[in-house]
Amino acid sequence: MAGRIVGPAVNALDPSQIAVPQWQRDFDAFIAVRMRTPFCWGQHDCCLFAADAVKAQTGVDHAAPWRGTYFTELQAARLLAQLGGLAALGAMAGPECPPLTARHGDVGLVFDGVRELLGVCVGSHWLVPATYGLAALPLASGRQAWRTDHG
């Protein structure tokens, strides 16, 4: 065809030129470490995992008042009751949103088929602490979710 210019697209983006926000790099580094962290009450359980995920993204530590105050499942259950339950802790992340609209880094109250626990959204899945590292649950397992403000 005469007069047709063949070449790179006018608005083509070079993927290497896309800047990744700092909160995203911090969050991804946090997840990479937690993928290799064994479950431990008071260190790597669902409540502290969610709080630590928010901290990695925002710098705000909502768990500071109770961090280091429990070390067993029974102590965790007592503290959770005092604090108002899992939903109250999840709500510390930010405003509520429908679970199926959760975005990367948002916190959710999820059901794993046995119990409810707090998880963190990574796209189409929720990550939750497991015996060793993290387990992935489908986004549809979310019962409530809260939008994490990345600033």
Side-chain angles (χ1 to χ4, degrees):
M1 296 182 118
R4 181 170 179 212
I5 299 173
V6 178
V10 175
N11 292 323
L13 291 176
D14 178 355
S16 68
Q17 300 300 314
I18 298 173
V20 177
Q22 185 63 46
W23 74 264
Q24 179 74 54
R25 289 192 299 272
D26 293 343
F27 177 74
D28 290 347
F30 162 77
I31 294 296
V33 168
R34 290 303 178 94
M35 287 294 240
R36 301 180 307 274
T37 304
F39 183 92
C40 183
W41 290 108
Q43 292 180 24
H44 181 58
D45 55 52
C46 75
C47 295
L48 284 176
F49 172 64
D52 291 345
V54 171
K55 183 180 176 187
Q57 297 172 76
T58 68
V60 177
D61 186 4
H62 296 290
W66 70 84
R67 195 178 291 282
T69 64
Y70 67 98
F71 307 96
T72 67
E73 183 176 7
L74 180 58
Q75 290 172 331
R78 287 179 180 156
L79 179 61
L80 190 57
Q82 291 172 1
L83 296 172
L86 290 172
L89 295 184
M92 291 179 180
E96 191 166 0
C97 63
L100 290 176
T101 67
R103 299 183 304 207
H104 203 73
D106 290 347
V107 172
L109 178 65
V110 300
F111 183 68
D112 71 355
V114 177
R115 65 193 174 283
E116 290 185 328
L117 57 160
L118 292 178
V120 177
C121 183
V122 289
S124 62
H125 289 84
W126 297 102
L127 292 180
V128 296
T131 301
Y132 190 80
L134 300 172
L137 298 172
L139 199 61
S141 66
R143 295 197 166 168
Q144 285 182 273
W146 298 272
R147 184 85 64 217
T148 301
D149 181 16
H150 305 122

